[in-house]
Amino acid sequence: MFDLRCLFVSCKLMDPASLLLRLSFFGLFLILLYLYATRNFNYWKKRNIKYVKPVPFIGNLGPMITLKKNIGFFLLDMCETLKSDVFGFFAFDTPFLVVTSPKLLKNILVKDFSIFNDRIVYSPNGHPILENVMFLAKGQSWKNVRSKSSPAFTSGKLKNMFLLILKECKLLTDYIDKFVDMPNVEAKEICAKYSTNVIARCAFAVEANSFESDDAEFRKIGSRLINMKLSTAIRQTICWFSPMIVKLFGISVFEGSSVTRLSAIFKEVLHTRMNSNENTSNDLIDVLLESKKKGSELSEDFMVGSAVQFFTAGFETVSSVLSFTLYELTVNPDIQQRLRKEILKHIDENGFTYESLNAMKYLDMCVSETLRKYPTLPFLDRVCNADYKLTDEITIEKGTKIFVPLFGLHYNKELFPNPYKYDPERFADKSVINADNMLYYMPFGEGPRICIGNRFGLMGVKTALVSILSKFDLVKSDKTPEHINFDPKGIVLQSTIGIPITFKHL
Ligand code: HEM
């Protein structure tokens, strides 16, 4: 490395010729560094693809690095500036492609999936648990993990887990009861406690006790995993944009000590259950042990990876969708009233069952609209593994990294008129959404890599909504925000001030 201190301290003592020589070397070094950092900046121009002008060394990542925008809004801004089906940007020196055309997205995510089967996100090699985490797995290893995990998400298994979730909903409403009529109750924290309990019960076969104590271990692990600290933002940005640093420092998208602790808890429960031969709990351990008995080769690391995956992918997503729906129902009392009417009618006629939950059409419309307005994971990502003809004019190279901007699609005025309005009517006829071989509404992603937990997640959100709305009225408090602002430090959407509201008895 060029020694700057040496240059400046000793320049006074130097004769003019040596000083000139040193300055020339320094200048040359800077020029070479600049040329290296900008060597790819013609990449999109050469391919005749629109792009956002990059800045040396950081590319276009300025708004993310300075924590002004989270990745969802960073991509949305570029979509609104360039208004193009396909465009490029740069992360540091690496070119990335953004695709917004619903027809091209159908090809990438579904039709030609074999060419786009991996995500961009990097993970350190050789970690026994993370290698079994489906979201991070690549190629054949992803295929193995996905096919071994699928039996946990069949309709029959979900129906069994519904009963476990119902018990957690009773704890949820008992807890809310303690805060009735109080202003500015933090609904986001209540939702996080609930989703933590649900995942701990269904995946780890333990009671998380989040409602009993603010120090409950699972709740603490959840807070660590999803905290909005600068270090989390940096770690996550690196995992999507800088493979070299991931390899060099073994950085992972999930906070290390949380993964270690979750693994230890699951192993303990797993060993106890294997020895007791008891499997009537309808949780993930039952499903895994049943598959093993039927001859499926499931290593202990795979089983632990499945539970860690369940927690990391499920707890914050369920909590976010639930809390954003509670917020929208609070600020839209007409919609809240209509939804409550539907819920009470179904409970009155058929009781609160798995079947009656799935028959609540307006409930489904409301949750679908929440997922449009608040796509919890606001982007999808894929890597192209062969040269690929995207359109008649554009062929992309093997290795091209692609982002799908969910805000860009879900807030597109032509696809969803008046996009900032919360309007469940958009989903009155779901058959028109994504019709004609197009894909533009994808809160759970699409194609073979679609969210494997989508039906479980929806069940967790809807069961809680039915339980809450059948007992409580949601009312605005003085601190309930007019609009939600999103924390720029998170990959998953989070409100900057939580969701303060008032619960009242019906
Ligand atoms: C309810 C809210 C949820 C939302 C909005 C959500 C959203 C997403 C999205 C957008 C993806 C990326 C899909 C793609 O790239 O095409 C994904 C992947 C995934 N999600 Fe979810 N998710 C939710 C709940 C859950 C739950 C409860 C689980 C629990 C198991 C889960 C497990 C996963 C897994 C394992 C993947 C990776 C799938 C693969 O790579 O094959 N998700 N999710």
Side-chain angles (χ1 to χ4, degrees):
M1 204 44 185
F2 198 88
D3 191 345
L4 272 179
R5 205 181 38 163
C6 168
L7 172 75
F8 292 116
V9 171
S10 61
C11 62
K12 278 190 192 159
L13 310 170
M14 243 176 254
D15 66 87
S18 325
L19 180 61
L20 196 64
L21 191 66
R22 283 198 170 208
L23 284 174
S24 311
F25 273 129
F26 184 55
L28 187 65
F29 171 73
L30 287 183
I31 290 168
L32 290 176
L33 197 64
Y34 173 85
L35 289 176
Y36 181 77
T38 57
R39 72 198 180 288
N40 291 327
F41 281 6
N42 268 338
Y43 188 88
W44 295 122
K45 195 173 177 187
K46 275 198 264 170
R47 286 161 181 79
N48 220 1
I49 291 178
K50 277 190 182 177
Y51 66 102
V52 190
K53 214 165 172 270
V55 175
F57 305 108
I58 57 169
N60 300 106
L61 289 190
M64 281 182 68
I65 288 176
T66 51
L67 296 181
K68 287 199 179 115
K69 294 264 148 79
N70 83 4
I71 185 162
F73 284 95
F74 162 70
L75 293 171
L76 174 65
D77 277 0
M78 292 192 292
C79 291
E80 286 179 344
T81 311
L82 292 180
K83 295 189 180 16
S84 179
D85 282 353
V86 175
F87 63 86
F89 76 95
F90 295 86
F92 307 112
D93 55 350
T94 310
F96 282 76
L97 191 71
V98 179
V99 179
T100 65
S101 150
K103 285 208 183 305
L104 296 181
L105 287 173
K106 180 88 180 190
N107 295 344
I108 291 173
L109 297 169
V110 183
K111 211 172 122 254
D112 295 321
F113 173 76
S114 60
I115 296 174
F116 299 94
N117 53 2
D118 286 338
R119 293 209 167 82
I120 299 170
V121 60
Y122 304 101
S123 182
N125 291 329
H127 188 295
I129 305 303
L130 293 181
E131 278 188 349
N132 285 293
V133 166
M134 193 189 305
F135 192 86
L136 304 173
K138 300 205 188 296
Q140 187 57 41
S141 144
W142 165 74
K143 276 190 191 150
N144 295 342
V145 176
R146 179 117 190 171
S147 70
K148 285 180 190 171
S149 302
S150 300
F153 298 95
T154 61
S155 301
K157 300 289 185 303
L158 288 183
K159 200 171 165 179
N160 290 339
M161 286 191 189
F162 172 72
L163 300 173
L164 301 179
I165 295 180
L166 261 189
K167 286 189 187 152
E168 299 305 330
C169 284
K170 170 83 175 74
L171 300 180
L172 166 72
T173 49
D174 287 352
Y175 184 73
I176 294 177
D177 237 340
K178 296 180 190 161
F179 300 97
V180 163
D181 292 333
M182 284 188 196
N184 302 312
V185 174
E186 189 40 80
K188 170 75 192 158
E189 179 55 25
I190 295 179
C191 296
K193 284 177 190 283
Y194 162 75
S195 68
T196 304
N197 275 11
V198 166
I199 307 274
R201 188 69 201 79
C202 294
F204 286 77
V206 297
E207 296 298 344
N209 297 324
S210 307
F211 292 125
E212 279 81 59
S213 157
D214 286 339
D215 280 339
E217 181 170 25
F218 268 91
R219 180 70 199 104
K220 278 187 170 166
I221 296 177
S223 306
R224 276 211 305 277
L225 271 173
I226 210 77
N227 69 39
M228 287 291 129
K229 283 190 189 157
L230 182 62
S231 54
T232 311
I234 294 174
R235 200 179 61 237
Q236 292 179 340
T237 306
I238 286 172
C239 287
W240 262 274
F241 294 114
S242 185
M244 202 173 70
I245 301 182
V246 170
K247 276 186 201 144
L248 223 55
F249 298 102
I251 290 173
S252 156
V253 71
F254 304 123
E255 195 262 336
S257 68
S258 305
V259 172
T260 310
R261 186 63 194 126
L262 285 174
S263 306
I265 297 174
F266 188 77
K267 272 186 199 172
E268 203 182 311
V269 183
L270 183 65
H271 291 166
T272 315
R273 284 277 278 281
M274 280 164 111
N275 294 333
S276 77
N277 259 343
E278 169 220 336
N279 50 344
T280 50
S281 312
N282 297 323
D283 48 38
L284 182 70
I285 300 191
D286 270 2
V287 179
L288 295 172
L289 293 179
E290 192 185 304
S291 295
K292 213 168 151 65
K293 261 193 204 152
K294 286 184 186 156
S296 201
E297 270 184 38
L298 306 185
S299 67
E300 182 168 299
D301 284 343
F302 167 79
M303 297 200 227
V304 177
S306 303
V308 169
Q309 170 70 95
F310 219 114
F311 192 83
T312 48
F315 118 83
E316 178 59 18
T317 45
V318 168
S319 162
S320 285
V321 181
L322 179 57
S323 61
F324 287 132
T325 311
L326 291 180
Y327 167 75
E328 287 292 350
L329 295 175
T330 304
V331 296
N332 293 288
D334 296 353
I335 297 176
Q336 184 187 153
Q337 218 160 346
R338 181 171 160 196
L339 177 55
R340 181 174 299 105
K341 211 169 146 196
E342 177 188 77
I343 290 172
L344 294 177
K345 178 174 169 284
H346 278 274
I347 295 183
D348 196 37
E349 287 170 4
N350 305 308
F352 187 10
T353 62
Y354 181 71
E355 287 73 21
S356 66
L357 182 77
N358 289 326
M360 295 179 193
K361 183 171 181 223
Y362 194 60
L363 174 64
D364 188 61
M365 287 161 61
C366 290
V367 176
S368 300
E369 175 65 345
T370 303
L371 284 160
R372 178 197 67 82
K373 211 174 155 190
Y374 307 95
T376 315
L377 188 67
F379 64 92
L380 310 178
D381 57 323
R382 298 287 188 267
V383 183
C384 168
N385 65 27
D387 289 354
Y388 177 79
K389 196 166 186 304
L390 194 62
T391 64
D392 286 344
E393 297 80 34
I394 303 174
T395 297
I396 54 175
E397 269 187 323
K398 178 178 176 176
T400 302
K401 298 171 180 69
I402 298 174
F403 274 112
V404 181
L406 293 191
F407 271 125
L409 293 160
H410 291 188
Y411 281 69
N412 180 329
K413 290 187 192 92
E414 279 159 32
L415 301 168
F416 296 104
N418 202 356
Y420 288 89
K421 184 176 176 207
Y422 185 77
D423 182 7
E425 286 308 315
R426 300 178 205 274
F427 295 91
D429 177 5
K430 269 193 153 178
S431 69
V432 299
I433 306 281
N434 292 339
D436 301 327
N437 264 326
M438 296 205 279
L439 273 181
Y440 52 85
Y441 174 70
M442 296 173 271
F444 291 106
E446 252 310 332
R449 268 204 109 140
I450 192 171
C451 172
I452 198 169
N454 66 19
R455 290 195 305 149
F456 174 84
L458 285 174
M459 182 168 74
V461 171
K462 289 179 179 178
T463 313
L465 284 172
V466 170
S467 305
I468 294 173
L469 289 180
S470 56
K471 289 197 170 64
F472 306 102
D473 199 9
L474 314 175
V475 183
K476 269 200 244 183
S477 295
D478 56 318
K479 289 196 182 131
T480 309
E482 284 300 314
H483 302 284
I484 300 278
N485 288 323
F486 298 105
D487 198 311
K489 296 192 278 317
I491 287 278
V492 176
L493 284 194
Q494 298 228 36
S495 163
T496 40
I497 60 152
I499 314 274
I501 62 172
T502 303
F503 295 90
K504 289 189 176 289
H505 278 134
L506 288 184

